[in-house]
Amino acid sequence: MRIIITEEQNNMLLDSLIGERVKVYYNLHKHTFSVQKNGLVVLHADYIKLEDVEFKVRQGGREKVRQEKSKNVHAFVNGTLIDFCQYPCDDIPEEPVGDIITYNPYKYDTFVYRETEEPVIYATEVDMINSKNKIFVIEK
């Protein structure tokens, strides 16, 4: 069975995600962020603002990437969704001045601050922007 909803109904559903806990990962096929709620992708976005953030890397997935030299979804930024701009977004914010966070399964076991390579597990607020640099800590 296929359910058809209007654009207005879709926008209401997406707006209901504000304030909800979500998991976000970078989608290598769509070249944007995928947002999961209860294990299902509910949104693709070029800009996401999260608060009460936890950076998670599934170690089994990381090891599989290293062994097979093929990427898979195993690293997430979990937090409360505060704002987003749905893909494709015509109004992506400028990259803020802040600590840039990165993750490379071939180099690191966790997400790290790009400048210092210090592991990062939590942040109060982050902006995720689909640009050259992806994740910015707004408040530690």
Side-chain angles (χ1 to χ4, degrees), residues 1 3 13 19 24-25 31 41 46 53 63 93 105 113 119 132:
M1 176 181 9
I3 298 174
L13 286 171
V24 182
Y25 64 92
H31 303 287
V41 174
D46 284 330
V53 179
E63 290 303 322
Y113 290 105
K132 179 181 176 213

Side-chain angles (χ1 to χ4, degrees), residues 81-114:
L81 185 64
I82 300 305
D83 195 12
F84 67 89
C85 185
Q86 189 172 359
Y87 170 83
C89 179
D90 294 327
D91 194 23
I92 297 176
E94 293 291 319
E95 291 185 2
V97 176
D99 292 321
I100 298 169
I101 295 175
T102 190
Y103 172 67
N104 179 336
Y106 300 108
K107 288 178 67 175
Y108 310 116
D109 293 340
T110 64
F111 286 88
V112 298
Y113 290 105
R114 189 175 75 183

Side-chain angles (χ1 to χ4, degrees), residues 5 9 15 36 39 43 62-63 69 73 75 84 88 91 93 129 133:
I5 63 174
Q9 290 169 320
D15 288 344
Q36 289 184 338
L43 169 68
R62 179 181 49 81
E63 290 303 322
K69 304 284 191 259
V73 178
F84 67 89
D91 194 23
I129 301 174
N133 301 301

Side-chain angles (χ1 to χ4, degrees), residues 25-26 28 55-66 71-77 100-114 117-120 134-135:
Y25 64 92
Y26 188 72
L28 294 171
F55 298 89
K56 286 280 197 182
V57 175
R58 293 181 181 156
Q59 299 307 320
R62 179 181 49 81
E63 290 303 322
K64 188 173 180 180
V65 168
R66 289 177 176 176
K71 292 189 177 179
N72 62 59
V73 178
H74 67 277
F76 298 89
V77 181
I100 298 169
I101 295 175
T102 190
Y103 172 67
N104 179 336
Y106 300 108
K107 288 178 67 175
Y108 310 116
D109 293 340
T110 64
F111 286 88
V112 298
Y113 290 105
R114 189 175 75 183
E117 296 186 337
E118 173 188 341
V120 57
K134 304 287 185 218
I135 307 172

Side-chain angles (χ1 to χ4, degrees), residues 23-42:
K23 288 182 172 185
V24 182
Y25 64 92
Y26 188 72
N27 188 315
L28 294 171
H29 300 288
K30 292 191 175 287
H31 303 287
T32 192
F33 298 106
S34 291
V35 179
Q36 289 184 338
K37 174 74 179 156
N38 298 326
L40 298 174
V41 174
V42 293

